Amino acid sequence: MRGFGELEAVVMDRLWAMGGSGTVRDVLEQLQQDRTIAYTTVLSTMDNLYRKGHLTRAREGKAHRFQTVVSHSEHTAALMHQALNTDSDSEAVLTHFVGEMTDDELARLQQVLRRRSSETPR
């Protein structure tokens, strides 16, 4: 899984913030709160995301409603997994990653690991 271009990332973030679904007009209105941007720019970006498989779309009147294929957390997890597997020494990568975690992050990681081990049949 590849990361997004700058505008693609902003569009995906806005869609995720809207529950994963929206029209070009919905996203445009959100983006225009922070910047000047044209409808056609948002349309072409969302079409590109659709063609790349990050969005689905369904006709809604004269427009399309776009839906994210994965949640924000699923996308982030896939990027983390990809980063872990890009180095031949994944243990060293993981060691550095965990070494940079705060105490709160470590506690959450430990909770997830405990929950996973209790859910996994032995």
Side-chain angles (χ1 to χ4, degrees):
M1 170 164 292
R2 266 185 23 164
F4 300 119
E6 184 179 337
L7 185 55
E8 290 176 337
V10 172
V11 167
M12 290 297 291
D13 284 341
R14 296 302 169 108
L15 282 167
W16 282 318
M18 292 187 290
S21 176
T23 64
V24 173
R25 178 81 46 208
D26 295 334
V27 174
L28 175 69
E29 289 172 0
Q30 289 291 312
L31 293 174
Q32 286 179 332
Q33 294 175 13
D34 302 324
R35 63 172 78 186
T36 302
I37 190 165
Y39 179 91
T40 54
T41 302
V42 178
L43 174 63
S44 63
T45 301
M46 292 176 75
D47 279 340
N48 287 340
L49 288 164
Y50 167 74
R51 281 195 302 281
K52 291 177 180 180
H54 298 292
L55 299 176
T56 60
R57 68 181 182 196
R59 183 64 81 180
E60 188 174 277
K62 293 182 179 181
H64 283 105
R65 175 159 297 276
F66 290 84
Q67 177 76 40
T68 58
V69 172
V70 297
S71 70
H72 190 255
S73 58
E74 290 170 322
H75 175 73
T76 302
L79 290 175
M80 292 169 67
H81 191 261
Q82 180 182 4
L84 183 62
N85 291 316
T86 57
D87 193 291
S88 60
D89 190 357
S90 61
E91 185 175 337
V93 173
L94 194 53
T95 299
H96 288 292
F97 179 73
V98 171
E100 295 292 319
M101 296 176 95
T102 66
D103 289 342
D104 288 342
E105 291 167 337
L106 284 170
R108 287 195 310 260
L109 176 60
Q110 289 169 337
Q111 286 177 330
V112 169
L113 292 173
R114 278 193 297 276
R115 189 170 53 244
R116 185 172 188 264
S117 68
S118 68
E119 293 171 358
T120 305
R122 294 179 189 214

